[in-house]
Amino acid sequence: MTDSHPDAGAGRFAPSPSGDLHIGNIRSGLLSYVRARQTGRRFLWRIEDLDRVKAGSAESQLSVFAELGVTPDEPPLVQSERTGEYSAAIAKLAADGLVYECYCSRKDIAQAPSAPHAPPGAYPGTCRNLGEDERESARRRLEANNRQPALRLHADNREHHIDDVVLGQVDALVDDLVLRRGDGIFAYNLTVVVDDAASGIDEILRGDDLASSAPRQAYLSRLLGVPEPGWVHVPLVLNEDGQRLAKRDGAVTYQQVRSLGWSVEDVFAWMQQSLGFDGDGRRWRSIDDMVSGVDFARMPSAPSVFVPPADP
C-alpha cells in the first residue's frame, strides 16, 4: 500500500445524496479509494447535490464508508456551494464564442432528425445557428411559460477519445452538450470538470456506464484550460435479470444486507468474489485487504451479478 502525499494528485467518489447507496455504488467508491491508495493519491469525496437530494443521505453515505474503514482525506466538496464557479466557467466559454441559447424541449430533440452517424440522443443543432429575430421570438415563447433557455456548448461535433486503464481507447462523438439546463441547474458534464480541476483530481474511477461521457468531459477540460484527468472505468453490478442494480431488486443497500446478517467482513468477501479475486488464496476482511488484493491489470471487463441475501 502506498501512502498519499499532500501534494499528490487525487481520486474521488462523488455520489448524489438521493438515498442509500446500493452495493454496486459502494463497490465503485471502494475501488476509487483502493486506486488512490495504490497510486499515492489523495482520496476525496464530493456531494453532488444540485438536483436530487434526500435529507440526511450525504451523512448516511459517509457513515457507511467510515464503517467500512474509508474516510476522505479532506472535507467533502459540496456542489450547491459552488454555483459561482460554474457560472464563471460558462462565462469563460461564452467569451470564446462557445455558448449559445437552446430553446428546445426534450420532445423537440427526440422528434428532430439527427445528423448522419450521430448516436441516439445527440443534439441535432436545432438552435445552433438561429438569427437574432428567431432567438428573441423563442425567448418570448419560453417566458410566456415561465421557462428560460438552456445554455449549450458550441462543440466541434467530432469524435474524440480518451485512454482508459481498464477499457483502453474509448471513442465518442462530442455534440453540443448542455452546460446549464432550462430550469437553471448546472449540467453534470460542466460541474464535474470544474470541480475535478479545482480539487486536483487527476484520475477518475467510476462505473463503465459513464465511459461514453468521458470524451465530452476531456474535451471540455481542454476548452476550459484545465488538466485532463486519467480514466479508470470499472464494470457495473447488475441484478439477476442483467439490468442495472436498483432498490426495487430487494436487499441491495449496505443497511439492508447488514440487517440480514452480513458483517463488514462479508461485504468485503463479496467485493472480492464479484471482482474475480477470490482465487488468490486470502479472503478479504477489510479495506486494507482490498487495497492489497485488487490488481487493476486483471480487472474484469464483464459486469457481475448481485444476488440479494434472503431473510433469515
Side-chain angles (χ1 to χ4, degrees):
M1 179 172 133
T2 303
D3 292 330
S4 63
H5 186 276
D7 296 328
R12 49 82 162 168
F13 185 45
S16 298
S18 56
D20 294 333
L21 298 171
H22 63 61
I23 203 76
N25 299 139
I26 292 170
R27 191 180 75 167
S28 293
L30 293 178
L31 284 170
S32 182
Y33 176 86
V34 166
R35 181 71 179 178
R37 287 295 177 259
Q38 287 184 353
T39 57
R41 290 178 166 89
R42 295 167 293 138
F43 173 71
L44 305 183
W45 191 286
R46 184 163 70 233
I47 299 173
E48 298 194 337
D49 61 342
L50 293 178
D51 198 353
R52 297 173 299 149
V53 177
K54 182 178 179 182
S57 290
E59 295 79 9
S60 175
Q61 292 168 357
L62 283 159
S63 69
V64 165
F65 272 69
E67 191 168 321
L68 292 168
V70 173
T71 55
D73 293 320
E74 297 175 9
L77 182 148
V78 181
Q79 286 194 327
S80 59
E81 299 172 356
R82 292 180 49 77
T83 55
E85 283 78 2
Y86 309 140
S87 292
I90 291 178
K92 181 183 187 308
L93 294 169
D96 292 333
L98 296 174
V99 178
Y100 66 90
E101 291 182 347
C102 175
Y103 316 99
C104 298
S105 66
R106 287 195 181 97
K107 183 179 178 181
D108 293 333
I109 296 170
Q111 293 179 344
S114 60
H117 312 300
Y123 183 65
T126 308
C127 299
R128 184 180 175 113
N129 297 312
L130 296 179
E132 188 51 42
D133 289 345
E134 294 173 296
R135 294 189 180 282
E136 186 56 38
S137 175
R139 288 187 200 108
R140 288 196 299 269
R141 174 170 47 83
L142 291 183
E143 287 172 4
N145 293 292
N146 296 313
R147 293 173 53 204
Q148 63 177 329
L151 298 179
R152 285 189 180 271
L153 177 71
H154 195 294
D156 64 7
N157 280 273
R158 294 192 297 112
E159 197 167 78
H160 292 264
H161 78 272
I162 56 100
D163 294 312
D164 186 87
V165 168
V166 175
L167 302 178
Q169 182 170 308
V170 177
D171 301 279
L173 175 76
V174 177
D175 63 349
D176 288 2
L177 57 96
V178 171
L179 301 170
R180 193 192 69 199
R181 296 179 351 196
D183 58 7
I185 294 177
F186 294 98
Y188 171 80
N189 283 303
L190 174 77
T191 61
V192 297
V193 170
V194 172
D195 290 342
D196 287 338
S199 299
I201 306 295
D202 64 347
E203 186 176 77
I204 295 169
L205 184 148
R206 58 189 185 180
D208 61 12
D209 58 322
L210 295 173
S212 63
S213 69
R216 285 179 157 196
Q217 291 153 24
Y219 177 75
L220 193 51
S221 295
R222 293 192 289 273
L223 294 181
L224 288 170
V226 299
E228 179 186 340
W231 305 90
V232 187
H233 286 94
V234 296
L236 295 180
V237 178
L238 305 180
N239 65 18
E240 293 175 273
D241 295 324
Q243 300 171 329
R244 289 182 57 173
L245 201 62
K247 292 178 184 178
R248 64 178 177 273
D249 297 316
V252 297
T253 70
Y254 178 81
Q255 290 88 340
Q256 288 170 334
V257 298
R258 292 281 276 132
S259 72
L260 292 176
W262 278 30
S263 65
V264 169
E265 291 183 356
D266 291 330
V267 172
F268 281 106
W270 181 83
M271 297 289 165
Q272 182 179 22
Q273 178 271 324
S274 74
L275 292 165
F277 295 120
D278 50 339
D280 292 350
R282 185 179 65 153
R283 173 176 159 138
W284 296 354
R285 301 177 184 275
S286 68
I287 188 60
D288 288 340
D289 291 339
M290 191 170 178
V291 171
S292 61
V294 169
D295 180 355
F296 283 93
R298 295 166 50 210
M299 181 67 59
S301 58
S304 60
V305 174
F306 180 72
V307 180
D311 290 322

